[in-house]
Every structure is written in structure tokens, then in C-alpha cells.
Amino acid sequence: MDTARTLSANLASLLRREHSALGAFLVALADFDRRRAWMTLGHASLFAYLHRELRLSKAAAQYRKVAAELIQQVPAVGEALGEGRLCLTSIVEAARVVTAQNWETVLPRFFGLSRREAMEVVAQLQPQPAPPTRTIVSPVRTAPSEVAAGPAFVLPILSLEVGPAGNRTPGSSSELTEREVNTSAPTHRPAEVVPLTADLRRFHLTVSDRFLKKLQAAKDALAHARPGATEEELLEAGLDLLLEKSAKRKGLVSKPRKTPPPAKAGHIPAHVKRAVWKRDGGRCQFRLPSGEICGSTHQLEFDHIEPVALGGVSTVENVRIVCRSHNIISARRVFGDDWMDRYAPGKVSLRDETG
Ligand SMILES: [Zn+2]
């Protein structure tokens, strides 16, 4: 019994240190974010810094990012985390309703709660203005014996569920119902992807009624050309069209001209774009402090390594692909904050880096 008490006291002590270390980390992170130090280090966001530089998982990075942002508004959040009264996973929920004005009364309601319990508090404080509409892609898999024998998988089917949470059609998963009841801002929730097998994913997506009408209209329009097309096939066909259009806009699909016309300053000829896109693999080439490239495929732009304003030319060697955030960071490094604030106002500033 005495040994058990001693061991337990040790555990309690270790737990207090864990809470205290977490609180100290998040308070320091809030300060790091306030100074935008992540940008100075070449990262596109605080989340990117946590994930890429500190090697936190995406979920762990997201919790800490939300906590650091909330601490900047409400410093008491840092204390509550350090004392173990507030749990890191419930922060994401608390951040939806706790403000600099109401924290004294609202924050204590989250003390000691799990994320699920915190969701319930948010739902009480911020009732749904309208019941959410969700789209669920549910995979239909054949039994293991059939997998071995014949067609491996049936294509995923999309079941659409519309209406208030209390009016579910039979067969809704309980997980879904709980989420819907408690989600405070359904339209802002990112799409959720749940891996099922190596190839199949379950895709949860909140859509508008307008979206569903368009989906039905597309189905009707293609009823002859592609009878019996699943929603997944329709959506994929639409995405293919978008990608094709985007590739055309970037000058990536048309045939190269035999003699390219003389380029205006800053203009990047299509054949250069094609070669650069191919060489860079359609990914941001900005080099992070760790030495690896950013690799983002989001909001990509063609960037002159030696800027046009400084005599740089539009050759394959002098052009690279970067994401929008890193294009701005590169420009600020080359031209400085004064120039950018004067000629490109509205671009994110590096000024706060030293606080
Ligand atoms: Zn980038």
C-alpha cells in the first residue's frame, strides 16, 4: 500500500510537470506567433512551422495553433492549461465561443471537460442557426472472400442526408448524429477524410442546398451520356474539367511554338512554363530552414529567382514554382519591407518579427 502511494505521488508530480510544460510551451508559442517569427524562418503559417519544423502531427499542430491564438486574446487560457484545468483537446471547442470580453464567465465552463463535453457546452452557448446538411461518401465493400475471388471493391456510394438532426433517415451513424448536433459552425468545418483501405476513403463534406441542386442537375444532364454514373464519378468528371482548364491557363497543355515570340519583361513564355512545371513537379520549390523544399501544391505561382526588376530574365533556369506565401516571403527578402509596403500594400509584413 505504501509503495502504491509513493508511486501515485510520483505520477501526480509528473503530471503537474507535464501540464506546466505544456502551458509554458503554449504561452511561448503565442509570443512566437505574435512576432510572426514563423515567417522570418520561411514558413507559410504557424501551422506549417509546427508541422514542418517541430515535426508535430497535423492534429497536434492544429491544437497548439488554436491554443496559441486564443492565448493572445485571453492570456488566462495559458494559465488554465499550465494548471491542468483546461485540456488541450477541448481548446478547439472553447476557441469558438471564448472571447476577450466574455472569458471570465465562459472559460471556467470548459474546465475539466473532454472535447466531447466541450462540444456540448458550445452547442448550449451557440445554438445552431440552421441544421447542417452533410454529404457522406460511404464505401461499399465486398466481403473478404469475394475480394479474393473477383471484383475487389464496388465504387463508393454517396448518400445525401438533408434535414434537421432529429429527422434522420434510418441507418445514419450515431457518430454522425452526434457531430451534427454539436457542430457549432458546420459551414466552416473542413472536409474530413477517413482512410478505410489503401485505396478507399470515407469523405465527409458539408454542402449547401445549392450544391445538391447542381449535383442533381449534372446527373440529369449526363443521364444519356453516362447513365447510372455515381456521384463520385460525376464529381470526379467535374474536377477533371477544372484541372484541364487550370492547366490550359498555365500554358501547360498547348503545343510548344516553333519560334517563341520575343518576351516582354516579366512575361514567361508558355514553353518556359511547361519546362519549369515539369522540372519542379508542380510543387513549391522554396527551401525551408531544414533544407527540404516546401512542396506545397496550393496557390502556385511562377517566380523569377533573379527578380525582373533587377534584370532577371524569363528563362527556365531563372524561373521556379513557389506557393503564394513563399512568393511574398521571397519578395520581401529581396525588396525589403519599405518597398513592399509602398508598392505592394496588403502583402503580409515581416516587420513584427522582432516584436
Ligand atoms: Zn511554399
Side-chain angles (χ1 to χ4, degrees):
M1 185 68 175
D2 284 349
T3 309
R5 281 194 202 288
T6 309
L7 293 172
S8 171
N10 184 40
L11 286 172
S13 162
L14 287 169
L15 189 62
R16 275 195 301 277
R17 274 155 61 186
E18 183 191 322
H19 290 148
S20 167
L22 179 68
F25 175 87
L26 293 170
V27 168
L29 188 65
D31 182 52
F32 184 83
D33 187 38
R34 191 180 53 76
R35 295 165 186 263
R36 300 179 89 77
W38 45 266
M39 194 185 278
T40 312
L41 295 176
H43 290 282
S45 64
L46 181 64
F47 174 84
Y49 164 78
L50 289 167
H51 181 49
R52 301 295 292 268
E53 183 126 354
L54 296 193
R55 304 285 171 193
L56 288 167
S57 73
K58 285 183 180 169
Q62 179 64 15
Y63 284 131
R64 283 156 184 79
K65 170 192 168 286
V66 171
E69 286 170 354
L70 188 58
I71 288 169
Q72 290 173 68
Q73 304 299 316
V74 184
V77 168
E79 290 160 34
L81 282 159
E83 289 160 5
R85 282 180 288 155
L86 202 52
C87 163
L88 186 57
T89 55
S90 64
I91 279 285
V92 175
E93 301 307 320
R96 298 180 196 276
V97 289
V98 173
T99 66
Q101 288 74 43
N102 71 14
W103 69 269
E104 279 174 292
T105 51
V106 174
L107 187 63
R109 297 190 60 174
F110 290 91
F111 289 171
L113 299 191
S114 68
R115 180 163 189 190
R116 174 67 61 201
E117 292 162 341
M119 282 173 154
E120 281 159 20
V121 172
V122 171
Q124 289 163 20
L125 293 171
Q126 196 183 65
Q128 292 282 352
T133 302
R134 286 179 71 97
T135 299
I136 313 146
V137 180
S138 308
V140 179
R141 277 179 290 174
T142 49
S145 58
E146 292 169 86
V147 172
F153 297 109
V154 179
L155 276 172
I157 54 163
L158 182 83
S159 63
L160 306 173
E161 301 209 346
V162 189
N167 190 22
R168 289 266 144 254
T169 49
S172 318
S173 77
S174 57
E175 177 202 49
L176 174 71
T177 307
E178 276 180 48
R179 251 203 214 109
E180 289 186 346
V181 170
N182 293 316
T183 302
S184 64
T187 50
H188 294 132
R189 281 181 79 92
E192 289 173 74
V193 177
V194 182
L196 296 167
T197 69
D199 292 331
L200 294 177
R201 302 285 181 271
R202 190 166 60 217
F203 186 47
H204 296 276
L205 177 68
T206 302
V207 298
S208 65
D209 188 48
R210 187 186 65 244
F211 176 96
L212 292 180
K213 282 179 180 145
K214 285 183 184 174
L215 187 63
Q216 187 55 48
K219 212 173 187 179
D220 296 343
L222 291 174
H224 291 292
R226 300 184 66 167
T230 64
E231 277 81 356
E232 190 208 6
E233 289 170 321
L234 285 176
L235 291 173
E236 193 175 353
L239 290 173
D240 285 343
L241 282 176
L242 262 180
L243 291 171
E244 197 184 312
K245 202 173 159 189
S246 164
K248 267 187 190 146
R249 193 165 44 76
K250 288 182 179 129
L252 297 172
V253 289
S254 62
K255 293 231 168 68
R257 292 169 197 244
K258 286 209 175 94
T259 37
K264 282 174 270 170
H267 171 79
I268 303 172
H271 71 280
V272 171
K273 287 183 177 177
R274 275 192 295 275
V276 169
W277 186 270
K278 199 172 166 195
R279 182 198 63 207
D280 292 350
R283 290 178 173 275
C284 172
Q285 298 298 303
F286 189 92
R287 209 159 278 284
L288 299 172
S290 62
E292 60 191 334
I293 60 155
C294 161
S296 172
T297 55
H298 183 60
Q299 290 190 314
L300 296 178
E301 299 175 348
F302 289 98
D303 172 46
H304 290 82
I305 298 166
E306 171 91 48
V308 176
L310 302 179
V313 289
S314 299
T315 57
V316 175
E317 293 71 32
N318 192 47
V319 174
R320 62 174 178 173
I321 290 173
V322 289
C323 67
R324 176 129 194 86
S325 305
H326 280 134
N327 204 356
I328 293 169
I329 288 174
S330 302
R332 285 198 173 267
R333 284 185 177 174
V334 172
F335 295 108
D337 285 328
D338 286 336
W339 191 93
M340 289 296 282
D341 289 343
R342 189 153 172 202
Y343 298 105
K347 307 263 189 199
V348 195
S349 176
L350 283 169
R351 281 181 182 286
D352 297 338
E353 66 195 47
T354 52

